[in-house]
Amino acid sequence: MTIIEKFKSVVKEREDKTALGFLQEENYQKISYQELNNYRLQLARFCEKKGWSFGEKVALMLDNSPEWIISDLMAATLGMVVVPIHTTFNSEYFKRVVEHSESKYLIINRKFFDKHKEIMAFLSVKDILIVGDCDDIQDDRVDSWPDLDPLQLQKDISVEIFDRDPHTIIYTSGTTGDPKGVVLTHKNLVLDVESAKRRVDITKDDRFFSFLPLSHAFERSAGYYAPFFSGASVFFAQSSKTIVDDIKKARPTVINSVPRIFEKIYGSIFDSVESSSQFKKKLFFKGIRLATLKRKKELKWYLWPQWKILDMIVLKKLRNIFGGRLRLAISGGASLDVKVIKFFDNLGIRVIEGYGLTETSPIICVNHINDFRFGTVGQALDCNEVKIDENKEVLVKGNNVMMGYYKNEDLTKEVIDKDGWLHTGDLGFVDREGFLTIVGRAKDMIVLSTGKNIFPESIENVLNESRYISQSMIYGDKQKHISALIVPNYDQLKRWCSKHGINFDLKEERILNFYKDKIDGRLKNFAKIEQIGSFQLLEEEFSQENGLLTPTLKLKRYKIISRYNLK
């Protein structure tokens, strides 16, 4: 089945039900499945008249929005290949992706067109469709996004598309090197999503909150295709800066996120508690203790009234951070500390971890909401097999594995062996019940001069739990000991400096001693070789804007090492 066949079957069933929600003048406006279908066909007719056709590539540089979804559905209708481009890419990277993918067409927000205007003249695209006003642009290739009528019905468009045909080329985030174009078919995407839905129960009444970039495979499949194929709705955040306010208005039941978001919320909650009165602290920790007992099914009958009261006056307020209706959060992209998962579980929000790669459409494993193991990424989906080779590398084989890397047959053969197994580059193990635990990425492993191997991620996760540490990166390959780059939580550090009468200077000896104590304290239960020998406090955060984070907020280690000239 193709993406558009699946979408049309849902439209028939969910016709007047809400498909999308987007913010306009601080209120959510809704688009029904039938209205979205009308938009899809109107845009497809518009593009068809311009000569856009089967097999041609169309690049998208759009925020998460109805236009992103409509563009993707238009392409699926005409049998075109979508090349999503992360909105945080710099101009050189943007140009490289458009040229390498041989995209003939570009759909782009006006603000991104302006951001990259210096290279627009050099892009060898035939048409540029701009979302936003473009009357002042002098370029014969430019046209404005058409006016779409939610009530205007269109005759369906018949293009022969097979499930084996490619639907998208997704360029990987590049945590380990230059980006690669992953070619995924309709079959890859549909079977992977349908398989994931058999592990994670999604109902037509669910409402998803979308803030991770749709240009990334995780959000596209788990935050767009999965809810749509279930007849659920998707509400967009207006921007990354408005997530806290937007989620309260959207009142979702499901969110997809990455560990960094959960960790920041966890940290901010405890920061708030720390600065509150002794009475409020006592209520908070009492509520958490009782909620923990309830989760473990150890809450005595005579404590239930206390728990209900504290749940109402304490824990409910914390749930309201997410809009008050959230039942499920799916975390992917990296490992999430078990302590954080259990904390949210105590609040009544089930956080389940999954695992995948762009090359696998992307979901490989996921925990079930009622059959999960903390600290694992769940069991393999039924559309693929997972095995561990003699080097402890995770291998995957199945219908969700990519066609290959675009225009790079040699690299494709490197990662997919002659028997069809994709070599993920991740190390892990599978327990007797089939739950997979990821130990770390082979390329991220630090080998000390002593020959000892260290995976940095678990150390970084523990350091980042400190309210005085915003981000960290461990390094030290071929050295006697590991070292760390530390991005302080500047607000917390400034408060501490003010309280102790210390000038805010990251080279100040008392500040460095303070952080040494914090680091040693966080790592007291780690092995001797996992202790930090030296560290440096940074004045700049790792971000997408400075090229040191991927769109899913993972560290670009090789770029950080280069930026700070680390050994």
Side-chain angles (χ1 to χ4, degrees):
M1 180 176 279
T2 66
I3 286 168
I4 214 63
E5 286 172 336
K6 185 65 183 176
F7 175 72
K8 288 195 289 188
S9 71
V10 174
V11 171
K12 283 183 182 178
E13 185 182 333
R14 299 289 290 163
E15 204 170 14
D16 61 344
K17 305 303 181 186
T18 300
L20 293 175
F22 63 99
L23 277 164
Q24 194 172 71
E25 297 179 354
E26 299 188 359
N27 292 309
Y28 270 102
Q29 308 300 314
K30 298 176 182 178
I31 298 173
S32 72
Y33 272 96
Q34 183 57 60
E35 289 170 338
L36 184 60
N37 193 49
N38 294 341
Y39 291 151
R40 165 186 76 91
L41 289 169
Q42 288 171 47
L43 183 63
R45 289 285 181 205
F46 177 85
C47 294
E48 191 177 45
K49 286 178 182 176
K50 291 175 73 66
W52 299 22
S53 62
F54 178 88
E56 294 181 319
K57 285 94 176 177
V58 53
L60 305 184
M61 183 176 264
L62 300 168
D63 288 317
N64 285 17
S65 60
E67 288 82 6
W68 207 108
I69 304 296
I70 296 165
S71 297
D72 186 66
L73 292 172
M74 173 277 294
T77 302
L78 297 178
M80 300 181 73
V81 180
V82 176
V83 183
I85 303 176
H86 302 312
T87 59
T88 54
F89 278 178
N90 61 40
S91 293
E92 180 189 345
Y93 205 88
F94 173 26
K95 182 176 183 291
R96 198 188 320 167
V97 169
V98 171
E99 297 301 322
H100 184 269
S101 65
E102 300 172 301
S103 292
K104 287 185 69 174
Y105 312 106
L106 171 65
I107 303 178
I108 186 170
N109 281 116
R110 174 60 195 260
K111 63 181 178 181
F112 300 127
F113 181 93
D114 291 343
K115 178 182 175 182
H116 302 287
K117 60 185 177 183
E118 288 81 6
I119 65 157
M120 285 298 164
F122 302 101
L123 293 181
S124 55
V125 294
K126 182 181 176 184
D127 292 325
I128 300 174
L129 200 58
I130 294 184
V131 177
D133 181 53
C134 62
D135 291 342
D136 60 322
I137 298 174
Q138 303 299 313
D139 188 327
D140 292 339
R141 301 171 301 169
V142 167
D143 203 347
S144 62
W145 180 269
D147 291 328
L148 304 177
D149 185 344
L151 302 179
Q152 186 183 107
L153 299 175
Q154 292 274 335
K155 185 179 178 182
D156 205 359
I157 295 173
S158 179
V159 176
E160 190 173 37
I161 305 168
F162 297 99
D163 63 2
R164 64 177 179 271
D165 290 327
H167 173 62
T168 192
I169 302 173
I170 303 177
Y171 282 79
T172 58
S173 342
T175 58
T176 55
D178 288 333
K180 305 174 287 286
V182 176
V183 183
L184 300 176
T185 66
H186 289 262
K187 181 179 181 180
N188 288 151
L189 294 161
V190 172
L191 289 185
D192 191 64
V193 168
E194 290 297 327
S195 183
K197 283 173 54 189
R198 288 190 283 275
R199 292 286 303 159
V200 181
D201 296 325
I202 301 171
T203 75
K204 63 183 185 302
D205 298 318
D206 274 318
R207 178 180 294 179
F208 281 64
F209 183 66
S210 176
F211 60 91
L212 295 178
L214 282 165
S215 52
H216 193 275
F218 174 43
E219 182 64 14
R220 188 173 177 183
S221 283
Y224 157 29
Y225 293 143
F228 267 34
F229 292 178
S230 307
S233 59
V234 178
F235 278 50
F236 294 120
Q238 199 159 27
S239 76
S240 59
K241 296 177 182 177
T242 61
I243 290 172
V244 173
D245 292 329
D246 295 349
I247 197 170
K248 292 173 183 174
K249 294 175 184 175
R251 304 190 69 236
T253 59
V254 183
I255 61 170
N256 299 303
S257 189
V258 290
R260 182 76 186 128
I261 302 295
F262 293 114
E263 289 161 359
K264 289 186 84 168
I265 294 171
Y266 174 85
S268 66
I269 288 172
F270 277 88
D271 287 346
S272 178
V273 170
E274 187 67 27
S275 61
S276 63
S277 66
Q278 287 299 318
F279 177 70
K280 287 184 177 179
K281 283 182 188 176
K282 188 175 181 180
L283 286 180
F284 172 80
F285 288 110
K286 178 73 171 178
I288 293 297
R289 279 196 299 272
L290 294 179
T292 302
L293 291 172
K294 181 177 179 293
R295 174 175 57 81
K296 293 178 177 179
K297 298 181 180 179
E298 296 174 1
L299 188 65
K300 304 295 184 183
W301 64 269
Y302 55 83
L303 292 175
W304 272 80
Q306 284 186 50
W307 172 77
K308 286 189 174 181
I309 292 170
L310 289 170
D311 183 67
M312 180 64 67
I313 64 175
V314 178
L315 305 187
K316 184 179 179 181
K317 289 182 179 178
L318 299 178
R319 289 194 293 273
N320 285 341
I321 293 172
F322 300 95
R325 298 200 311 150
L326 193 68
R327 69 175 183 87
L328 176 64
I330 303 165
S331 178
S335 62
L336 179 59
D337 193 285
V338 171
K339 181 168 64 177
V340 177
I341 297 175
K342 288 181 177 179
F343 172 76
F344 284 109
D345 211 55
N346 291 336
L347 296 185
I349 298 170
R350 177 61 46 82
V351 178
I352 58 173
E353 290 191 274
Y355 165 68
L357 305 172
T358 304
E359 290 86 343
T360 55
S361 307
I363 308 165
I364 296 171
C365 298
V366 68
N367 275 288
H368 190 283
I369 191 168
N370 294 317
D371 183 15
F372 59 92
R373 298 289 182 276
F374 288 136
T376 78
V377 294
Q379 297 167 314
L381 301 186
D382 57 21
C383 68
N384 62 205
E385 303 172 62
V386 171
K387 73 175 183 179
I388 310 298
D389 72 4
E390 64 275 10
N391 298 314
K392 299 183 181 178
E393 184 178 4
V394 180
L395 308 186
V396 183
K397 184 178 183 179
N399 289 318
N400 55 343
V401 173
M402 66 173 179
M403 288 181 73
Y405 293 118
Y406 189 58
K407 298 194 300 188
N408 201 332
E409 190 175 341
D410 290 342
L411 187 57
T412 301
K413 288 179 179 178
E414 273 185 40
V415 298
I416 302 177
D417 65 29
K418 58 183 176 59
D419 296 318
W421 288 98
L422 174 78
H423 293 244
T424 66
D426 291 314
L427 306 181
F429 61 89
V430 178
D431 68 18
R432 291 180 180 178
E433 293 175 293
F435 287 86
L436 174 65
T437 297
I438 299 297
V439 176
R441 190 146 186 84
K443 289 183 179 179
D444 291 343
M445 184 172 67
I446 296 168
V447 182
L448 297 179
S449 59
T450 59
K452 298 289 186 181
N453 297 336
I454 296 173
F455 289 99
E457 198 172 88
S458 60
I459 301 172
E460 292 160 354
N461 287 343
V462 170
L463 291 177
N464 294 346
E465 286 176 14
S466 169
R467 64 189 173 113
Y468 293 101
I469 296 175
S470 178
Q471 296 166 304
S472 62
M473 193 196 83
I474 305 300
Y475 65 98
D477 207 42
K478 299 178 183 177
Q479 303 300 306
K480 289 182 180 180
H481 58 73
I482 56 173
S483 301
L485 294 179
I486 302 291
V487 178
N489 182 321
Y490 304 116
D491 291 337
Q492 288 291 335
L493 178 55
K494 285 175 183 176
R495 289 193 199 106
W496 182 84
C497 287
S498 177
K499 182 179 178 181
H500 293 86
I502 297 172
N503 183 41
F504 182 78
D505 180 352
L506 297 183
K507 295 180 181 178
E508 158 70 45
E509 186 176 357
R510 284 172 290 179
I511 290 177
L512 293 172
N513 289 337
F514 173 71
Y515 270 89
K516 185 179 188 314
D517 289 342
K518 291 296 175 186
I519 291 168
D520 291 346
R522 300 301 305 175
L523 302 180
K524 63 182 179 183
N525 294 323
F526 279 67
K528 186 176 181 180
I529 62 166
E530 294 174 310
Q531 301 301 313
I532 304 298
S534 61
F535 67 92
Q536 179 182 346
L537 299 182
L538 303 182
E539 296 179 354
E540 180 186 28
E541 288 191 334
F542 306 136
S543 69
Q544 295 179 64
E545 288 69 26
N546 62 22
L548 303 182
L549 287 184
T550 73
T552 50
L553 309 183
K554 289 186 284 189
L555 299 174
K556 290 188 175 181
R557 296 180 189 275
Y558 71 101
K559 284 199 172 182
I560 296 171
I561 287 169
S562 175
R563 168 76 66 89
Y564 292 99
N565 197 25
L566 305 176
K567 293 181 180 180

